[in-house]
Amino acid sequence: MKRIKLTIAYDGTDYCGWQIQPNGITVEEILNKKLKKLTGEDIHVIGASRTDSGVHALGNVAVFDTESSIPAERMAYALNQRLPDDIVIVSSKEVPLDWHPRYQDEILKTYEYHIYNAPVQNPLKRRYSAFVSFPMNVEKMREGAAYLLGEHDFVSFCNVRTSVEDTVRTVKELMIEQEGPDITIRITGNGFLYNMVRIIAGTLIRVGRGFYEPTKVKEILEARERTQAGVTAPPEGLTLVCIEYDGS
Amino acid sequence: MKRIKLTIAYDGTDYCGWQIQPNGITVEEILNKKLKKLTGEDIHVIGASRTDSGVHALGNVAVFDTESSIPAERMAYALNQRLPDDIVIVSSKEVPLDWHPRYQDEILKTYEYHIYNAPVQNPLKRRYSAFVSFPMNVEKMREGAAYLLGEHDFVSFCNVRTSVEDTVRTVKELMIEQEGPDITIRITGNGFLYNMVRIIAGTLIRVGRGFYEPTKVKEILEARERTQAGVTAPPEGLTLVCIEYDGS
């Protein structure tokens, strides 16, 4: 028996997210099915991030245990031959049998939220960016974003349907880049609450459009109330870029 | 009666190209149908570029004649309410009744060919870039591309199924840019033969991979034979960026 760690990229547009659910096809389900075909075993992958419906990934992580004789490093290639073209295994390698993708001393996740900001939508951007037609002030977004850096109770930036008790998280980096009509919010932290990145993005979009002053971000954070923040930005703008474990 | 010029962007992935044909849905067909719904008239748009199946556009151009009372400038908005989200009218304006999108004194078309060059495919790039997994030498591609600048008989870079007689065209600009794994071939000319940009891209990809020396591009050009060039690069990498008329 060996445990194999997969790094997985996917276009989330046509999936009901990562986690298996009764009402639609998910990335986890596809992986389990293709691994069963490949190995003949009943395999249930354990994922690091249960991304929402429509959210993309360049580096989600999952593990599974197998008796297969396929070398761990070849598993990526073998799976890619069978997967649909919107899911790609970036790499595969063996890890210790007790290595778990959600429970490690240090886990850093990086997300990007992409905004296409122009008067008219660009159909080549619509799958991977949120469209905002009103002019946005990126400098004000950066001012607002600065309040979120560091360790805070992010309960105000959490979906009300969550049940997690400890809502303190650390945002290590938060950068906003602009290249013509493309605005990218890049955020790295030691974990994120349910919908946290999309609520942060929705709030910063309000700042950019001038609905909120940048200081409003500080007020929302300090209010510690789940109803204070801006709307949840749409899923197509969000990509899980990478997950780093223990500094690697 | 008035003539309206549309500037049109589309994600070509799910269309059998621009031109109406019996075996699949096309952009032209969708536009005619939606214009009929909007105006009540039997409308047949005249397009500037009959892009191939799977090819994208940010600025294709079409005209149509109408008795509709909708102001020309509002036509873009009215159509966008009815169009699927992979077709967007960027702008609409009235032009003289005899203005034709394919017959003007000076027409400059700009295309971009996008290549994603990395060991493993990125599923977020697959719709709008050709994937090349082997290392590529962009400097050699630039050397090869330089031979194509200016006025030449491009018959070697033309699909054999074409019937056009005059195969002389002028390439005004040809730039190759690299940003990490993304390579973009940007080409501007006064018109392109059938599949010419994709055959140029396919040839330059061979140069980049080391199959061809850069001087091979000159040899192909001078051979003036339709069977000399590299393979036609796949449609998903190609985007018609803009069409400029008489310097505007």
Side-chain angles (χ1 to χ4, degrees):
Chain A
M1 176 80 72
K2 60 188 172 192
R3 175 161 289 196
I4 292 174
K5 176 190 175 197
L6 302 174
T7 301
I8 308 150
Y10 45 88
D11 177 342
T13 309
D14 298 327
Y15 294 98
C16 292
W18 171 271
Q19 193 169 21
I20 287 178
Q21 55 131 300
N23 301 316
I25 199 155
T26 66
V27 179
E28 184 182 21
E29 182 183 344
I30 297 273
L31 287 173
N32 287 348
K33 281 188 181 163
K34 299 300 179 184
L35 280 166
K36 181 166 187 171
K37 276 202 185 163
L38 184 63
T39 64
E41 302 165 301
D42 268 323
I43 284 182
H44 301 277
V45 299
I46 303 169
S49 266
R50 301 174 196 124
T51 53
D52 268 346
S53 182
V55 171
H56 316 292
L58 291 175
N60 203 347
V61 167
V63 296
F64 66 94
D65 296 332
T66 180
E67 304 278 5
S68 166
S69 63
I70 300 170
E73 279 71 19
R74 290 290 292 171
M75 201 56 90
Y77 180 83
L79 269 172
N80 284 336
Q81 304 308 305
R82 288 161 175 82
L83 284 167
D85 69 356
D86 52 6
I87 303 179
V88 172
I89 308 299
V90 180
S91 65
S92 54
K93 68 168 194 173
E94 191 169 347
V95 289
L97 275 171
D98 63 350
W99 191 89
H100 192 287
R102 288 200 298 276
Y103 309 115
Q104 294 296 325
D105 286 345
E106 198 190 324
I107 301 180
L108 281 183
K109 292 185 183 177
T110 297
Y111 284 90
E112 282 184 357
Y113 196 89
H114 296 274
I115 298 158
Y116 180 71
N117 183 34
V120 178
Q121 172 67 301
N122 176 338
L124 308 188
K125 298 284 184 178
R126 76 190 196 289
R127 289 170 73 98
Y128 311 120
S129 294
F131 173 53
V132 177
S133 63
F134 300 90
M136 289 175 78
N137 184 326
V138 171
E139 212 34 71
K140 290 208 163 178
M141 293 172 74
R142 289 186 181 123
E143 273 179 56
Y147 296 111
L148 301 172
L149 269 176
E151 187 181 88
H152 301 282
D153 181 347
F154 281 98
V155 66
S156 300
F157 292 91
C158 177
N159 187 299
V160 292
R161 285 183 297 153
T162 195
S163 59
V164 70
E165 295 199 353
D166 178 11
T167 51
V168 173
R169 296 288 183 279
T170 301
V171 171
K172 298 254 184 185
E173 277 187 26
L174 208 178
M175 295 197 305
I176 305 178
E177 282 165 19
Q178 186 172 30
E179 229 190 285
D182 297 303
I183 298 170
T184 300
I185 302 168
R186 187 178 169 97
I187 186 166
T188 300
N190 67 349
F192 293 93
L193 303 168
Y194 183 43
N195 277 356
M196 180 170 148
V197 181
R198 286 168 56 192
I199 296 171
I200 287 175
T203 304
L204 293 178
I205 288 170
R206 291 202 160 197
V207 172
R209 290 183 56 178
F211 290 162
Y212 290 169
E213 283 303 310
T215 51
K216 174 83 174 175
V217 177
K218 187 165 181 269
E219 287 166 30
I220 293 167
L221 194 66
E222 288 172 352
R224 295 193 195 178
E225 270 184 46
R226 296 185 181 185
T227 53
Q228 290 287 310
V231 292
T232 306
E236 63 269 23
L238 188 62
T239 300
L240 169 59
V241 174
C242 62
I243 306 176
E244 293 159 285
Y245 293 95
D246 303 324
S248 73
Chain B
M1 178 76 76
K2 61 189 172 191
R3 177 160 286 195
I4 293 174
K5 176 190 175 196
L6 302 174
T7 302
I8 308 150
Y10 45 87
D11 176 343
T13 309
D14 298 328
Y15 294 99
C16 292
W18 171 271
Q19 194 169 20
I20 286 177
Q21 56 133 298
N23 302 316
I25 199 155
T26 65
V27 178
E28 184 183 20
E29 182 184 344
I30 297 273
L31 286 174
N32 287 347
K33 281 188 182 163
K34 299 301 178 183
L35 279 166
K36 181 166 188 171
K37 275 201 186 164
L38 185 63
T39 64
E41 301 164 300
D42 268 324
I43 285 180
H44 302 277
V45 298
I46 302 169
S49 267
R50 300 176 196 122
T51 53
D52 267 346
S53 184
V55 170
H56 316 292
L58 291 175
N60 204 345
V61 168
V63 296
F64 65 94
D65 296 332
T66 180
E67 302 277 4
S68 166
S69 63
I70 300 170
E73 280 71 19
R74 291 290 289 171
M75 201 57 88
Y77 179 83
L79 269 172
N80 283 335
Q81 303 309 302
R82 289 162 176 81
L83 285 166
D85 68 357
D86 51 7
I87 304 179
V88 171
I89 309 299
V90 179
S91 65
S92 54
K93 69 168 191 173
E94 192 169 345
V95 289
L97 275 171
D98 63 350
W99 192 89
H100 192 288
R102 289 200 298 277
Y103 309 116
Q104 295 295 323
D105 286 344
E106 199 190 324
I107 300 180
L108 282 182
K109 292 185 183 178
T110 298
Y111 284 90
E112 282 184 357
Y113 197 89
H114 297 274
I115 299 157
Y116 181 70
N117 184 33
V120 179
Q121 172 67 303
N122 174 339
L124 307 189
K125 300 280 184 181
R126 77 191 195 288
R127 289 171 72 99
Y128 312 120
S129 295
F131 173 53
V132 177
S133 64
F134 299 90
M136 289 174 78
N137 184 326
V138 171
E139 211 35 70
K140 292 208 164 177
M141 292 172 74
R142 290 187 182 122
E143 272 178 57
Y147 296 112
L148 301 172
L149 267 176
E151 187 181 88
H152 301 282
D153 182 346
F154 281 98
V155 66
S156 299
F157 293 91
C158 177
N159 187 299
V160 291
R161 284 183 298 151
T162 195
S163 59
V164 71
E165 297 199 351
D166 178 12
T167 51
V168 174
R169 296 290 185 276
T170 301
V171 170
K172 299 255 184 185
E173 279 187 24
L174 209 179
M175 298 196 305
I176 306 177
E177 283 164 17
Q178 186 172 30
E179 229 190 285
D182 298 303
I183 297 170
T184 300
I185 301 169
R186 187 179 169 98
I187 186 166
T188 300
N190 68 349
F192 294 93
L193 302 168
Y194 184 42
N195 277 354
M196 178 170 151
V197 181
R198 286 168 57 193
I199 296 171
I200 287 175
T203 304
L204 294 178
I205 288 169
R206 292 203 158 196
V207 172
R209 290 182 58 178
F211 290 163
Y212 290 168
E213 283 304 309
T215 50
K216 173 84 174 172
V217 177
K218 187 164 180 271
E219 288 166 29
I220 293 167
L221 194 65
E222 288 171 353
R224 293 192 197 179
E225 269 184 48
R226 298 190 179 181
T227 53
Q228 290 288 309
V231 293
T232 306
E236 63 268 23
L238 188 62
T239 299
L240 169 59
V241 174
C242 61
I243 306 175
E244 294 159 285
Y245 292 96
D246 303 324
S248 74

